[in-house]
């Protein structure tokens, strides 16, 4: 099991990052909020979770160990695979996930693409006794280097989660006033998803 990866960031794409470790480039699947903290040419350390399938070996990278823990624990609920688990940590902070499950907030969980009412109820039922209460971990703001960059990252994040380009652009416009001088891509993505779930 690969617990974490430390190395120079060789590339950042819309949904993954490549870290060079000992002359080997490892591709890590990451949320937009995590990708926004990475800079090509800089060193980074990301907690990781490896998902092994018959035909693939995928490494997921996270902002911190708390996000990784949530990603792994939600997959113990029936019907939740790595793709839905990653969508959960992309849309909600770890404490938001714990709060939604412990307070049986079905509506909060159904904001995640790929989770319907029954799926949310199943997650709550199966994880309520195991997820634990919110721990109050502060997640550092994912600051984008240039103002337009956050728009592209949020829009591509939404498209990656299954929304159309038109819907994504409309949601980005809706949250633009919240961006300020130091946009927090993760928070803006969650806000954009909330506007889409209301539409």
């Amino acid at each position: 099991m690969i617990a974490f990866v430390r190395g120079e960031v060789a590339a950042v794409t819309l949904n993954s990052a490549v870290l060079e470790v000992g002359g080997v480039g490892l591709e890590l699947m990451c949320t937009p909020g995590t990708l926004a903290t990475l800079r090509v040419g800089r060193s980074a350390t990301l907690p990781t979770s490896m998902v092994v399938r018959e035909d693939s070996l995928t490494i997921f990278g996270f902002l911190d160990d708390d996000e990784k823990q949530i990603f792994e624990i939600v997959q113990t609920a029936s019907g939740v695979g790595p793709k839905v688990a990653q969508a959960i940590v992309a849309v909600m902070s770890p404490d938001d996930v714990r709060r939604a499950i412990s307070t049986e907030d079905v509506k909060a969980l159904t904001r995640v693409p790929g989770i319907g009412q029954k799926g949310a109820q199943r997650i709550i039922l199966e994880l309520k006794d195991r997820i634990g209460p919110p721990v109050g971990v502060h997640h550092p703001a994912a600051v984008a280097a240039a103002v337009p960059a956050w728009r592209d990252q949020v829009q591509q994040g939404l498209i990656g989660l299954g929304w159309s380009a038109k819907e994504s652009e409309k949601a980005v416009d809706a949250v633009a006033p919240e961006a300020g001088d130091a946009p927090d891509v993760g928070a803006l993505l969650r806000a954009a998803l909330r506007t889409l779930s209301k539409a």
Side-chain angles (χ1 to χ4, degrees), residues 47-68:
T48 56
S49 181
M50 192 162 69
V51 176
V52 180
R53 294 277 184 268
E54 255 182 49
D55 57 348
S56 67
L57 191 155
T58 311
I59 305 171
F60 291 84
F62 305 95
L63 202 56
D64 55 31
D65 286 315
D66 198 30
E67 192 174 270
K68 172 184 171 177

Side-chain angles (χ1 to χ4, degrees), residues 34-45:
T34 301
L35 292 170
T37 67
L38 304 176
R39 298 286 173 268
V40 173
R42 298 245 185 107
S43 182
T45 302

